[in-house]
Amino acid sequence: MASNDTWKFPSLKAVFTGLPRELKLPTGKEGKERKVTLDNTLYSVSFYPYTRPREDPVFAVVGGIETIVLRPNAENGAEIIQYFVDDSPEEVLCTSCWTKDKDTGDPLLAVAGNAGIIKILNVKTGKVIQTLTGHGDEVMDLKISPEDPTLLASASADSTIRIWSLDPKHRGQPCACICAGEGHRETVLTVAFHDNGRYLLSGGMDHIVNLWILPELPAASTGSDHPITVIYPHFSSSMVHSNYIDCIAFHGDLILSKAAKEHKIILWQIQNFSSAAPPLPPSRAPTTHEWRETRSAYGGTYDRLLQFSAPDTEPFFLHFGVLSQPNIHPVLVIGGTTGRVYMWDLRRVENAGNNPTPGQETPEAGAAGDGGNKSGGGGKGRKEDEISDPFALIKPHLVQEIPRVKTTIREVGWSTGGEYMVAVGDAGMVAIFKRW
């Protein structure tokens, strides 16, 4: 990969709707072709994160009762390598994330939805190897710890977050920690780990963002029927957003988040928070004895840094994707309700704030690719990228239209090295993008 390619946006390579009807399914054990009728909304896409960049990328999409595992290829756009059907006909799967077996290294996929049950699928064997129960309502989001592939976080409509141990020795009682009590009052829609695994963000229908400091896990109590309960988050605010918070992510120690009906993604920071400092003890978490719209153990409140204009993103449960890898420009992407994908090169925005000297500017967005790309403007210090006003909206650097698709895009995911991007949405739509 040439150094001047690190900034390039991906270009659309293939689009499928009603995916299994267009691609051949693997045959069943009896050798017969399996019949399915996938036209459900696909809510989630996730790439297997444990391969080296640009090495055999594999991704999963989920919706309705189906989970489909695919590999991009040049001939058909993608090939199906594994397929699961949930045993409950009423299930609507809406979230998934990858991990791997601690002992064998087999690729595992966690999936969940409105049944409130998390299932761990072995993608190599095609079997369900574990079922996690305990939530009292729908499971809305799943994330695996970047530091420990045996630790799984789940967000639920029962207003709690659970941390599960997937270590086989804890299989009898896998719930290791519950974040509940004074965090959320309504459905928790989204969670995100910090890179160090000790901090967890959450957002929900109560318009609240929380930062939880997790105990060191697994703990001595893990595997017993006495999971650790974290009652108070160390930061909590209802001031960042004014509607359902449905997507959140760390960007270093900064935070990216969005809410329904706001048509924007916000970059912000918790004042005085630094992951380089030791985690604060539970005793420092602010209580709710005195009601405040923002409570923080770090002193102060929060700083709004930037806002990215995201048109056509009014409904809730639309998830952005962030590419963040060494030696590649970080890219923020979200899809909307009209089949458009909006992209920002975050390095370009950073350079605009640093007043880059000639020769250091990001190349033109219009060179990103073919077929439906619409540049939001040049890369050389656009006025729209000015970051001195935290309430100004930064327009997308590129808008890509998916031809003949005017449906809602629910989630966007990136392969480990950033060479592939996949968007999924209503009517079983899968769009595969590629760079380089």
Side-chain angles (χ1 to χ4, degrees):
M1 181 177 64
S3 60
N4 63 351
D5 285 342
T6 59
W7 63 272
K8 284 188 175 179
F9 291 109
S11 299
L12 183 66
K13 297 301 180 183
V15 181
F16 305 98
T17 54
L19 185 62
R21 292 196 291 271
E22 300 186 25
L23 295 180
K24 184 178 179 181
L25 281 169
T27 57
K29 291 182 178 179
E30 69 285 356
K32 297 179 180 179
E33 185 177 348
R34 289 181 280 185
K35 302 291 185 180
V36 295
T37 56
L38 177 62
D39 55 8
N40 299 298
T41 293
L42 296 176
Y43 288 103
S44 174
V45 55
S46 54
F47 275 85
Y48 184 71
Y50 302 110
T51 54
R52 294 177 181 177
R54 309 189 75 178
E55 179 181 293
D56 193 28
V58 171
F59 65 94
V61 300
V62 302
I65 60 174
E66 287 102 348
T67 298
I68 307 169
V69 182
L70 304 102
R71 177 187 290 115
N73 67 26
E75 182 180 356
N76 300 316
E79 60 177 316
I80 297 175
I81 59 176
Q82 192 57 271
Y83 180 77
F84 300 88
V85 178
D86 197 90
D87 55 10
S88 171
E90 304 302 319
E91 177 65 290
V92 178
L93 299 172
C94 65
T95 182
S96 65
C97 72
W98 290 89
T99 183
K100 57 184 177 180
D101 189 280
K102 181 181 179 182
D103 298 327
T104 67
D106 285 357
L108 306 179
L109 185 67
V111 299
N114 68 356
I117 298 171
I118 303 166
K119 294 182 179 178
I120 311 299
L121 314 177
N122 185 314
V123 173
K124 183 177 180 180
T125 65
K127 296 180 179 179
V128 178
I129 63 168
Q130 191 174 3
T131 300
L132 306 176
T133 59
H135 279 300
D137 210 325
E138 298 175 72
V139 173
M140 310 303 295
D141 199 12
L142 296 171
K143 293 289 167 47
I144 205 74
S145 168
E147 279 294 299
D148 186 345
T150 69
L151 295 178
L152 173 69
S154 59
S156 174
D158 66 7
S159 78
T160 72
I161 300 155
R162 290 182 176 239
I163 311 296
W164 309 84
S165 172
L166 303 181
D167 191 315
K169 68 182 180 182
H170 301 141
R171 186 157 294 184
Q173 296 288 346
C175 184
C177 177
I178 303 175
C179 300
E182 299 299 331
H184 289 282
R185 299 186 296 269
E186 298 181 41
T187 296
V188 187
L189 291 171
T190 180
V191 288
F193 278 101
H194 190 280
D195 285 343
N196 68 13
R198 288 298 304 276
Y199 300 101
L200 188 77
L201 292 168
S202 64
M205 286 188 169
D206 50 12
H207 310 178
I208 291 174
V209 175
N210 289 322
L211 172 74
W212 307 84
I213 297 181
L214 300 177
E216 292 191 29
L217 297 172
S221 62
T222 304
S224 73
D225 56 359
H226 298 290
I228 297 172
T229 300
V230 180
I231 298 176
Y232 295 108
H234 280 69
F235 174 88
S236 182
S237 181
S238 59
M239 293 293 291
V240 182
H241 292 284
S242 61
N243 211 291
Y244 298 166
I245 301 166
D246 57 0
C247 193
I248 198 164
F250 276 105
H251 183 55
D253 281 358
L254 306 181
I255 299 166
L256 286 159
S257 59
K258 71 165 284 285
K261 297 185 178 182
E262 291 186 348
H263 302 281
K264 60 189 176 185
I265 300 169
I266 300 175
L267 179 69
W268 57 284
Q269 66 182 357
I270 298 171
Q271 291 177 353
N272 306 316
F273 170 77
S274 172
S275 62
L280 297 176
S283 60
R284 292 285 302 277
T287 68
T288 55
H289 296 310
E290 292 184 15
W291 184 86
R292 285 172 288 170
E293 292 175 318
T294 300
R295 308 188 308 273
S296 179
Y298 300 95
T301 57
Y302 70 94
D303 294 317
R304 185 184 302 259
L305 303 175
L306 299 173
Q307 298 189 137
F308 300 91
S309 175
D312 307 319
T313 57
E314 181 169 335
F316 84 97
F317 222 77
L318 303 185
H319 298 158
F320 57 75
V322 184
L323 171 65
S324 183
Q325 291 291 336
N327 304 317
I328 299 175
H329 284 208
V331 180
L332 173 65
V333 182
I334 191 169
T337 58
T338 58
R340 292 186 177 95
V341 179
Y342 306 98
M343 308 184 193
W344 297 264
D345 182 334
L346 298 182
R347 181 71 55 79
R348 177 188 303 176
V349 177
E350 178 184 343
N351 286 347
N354 292 333
N355 297 316
T357 57
Q360 292 181 328
E361 300 93 340
T362 305
E364 296 290 327
D370 56 356
N373 286 346
K374 292 185 178 181
S375 172
K380 298 183 179 180
R382 289 191 331 170
K383 181 179 180 181
E384 294 91 337
D385 291 342
E386 175 58 46
I387 62 175
S388 60
D389 181 0
F391 291 94
L393 290 172
I394 298 176
K395 295 180 180 179
H397 294 146
L398 184 139
V399 179
Q400 179 133 57
E401 295 183 2
I402 301 176
R404 300 179 300 279
V405 173
K406 301 299 181 183
T407 189
T408 298
I409 297 169
R410 292 288 176 173
E411 187 166 73
V412 181
W414 288 94
S415 63
T416 304
E419 66 273 33
Y420 283 98
M421 184 186 84
V422 173
V424 298
D426 293 358
M429 187 277 296
V430 177
I432 299 174
F433 300 77
K434 191 177 187 298
R435 353 169 40 176
W436 312 314

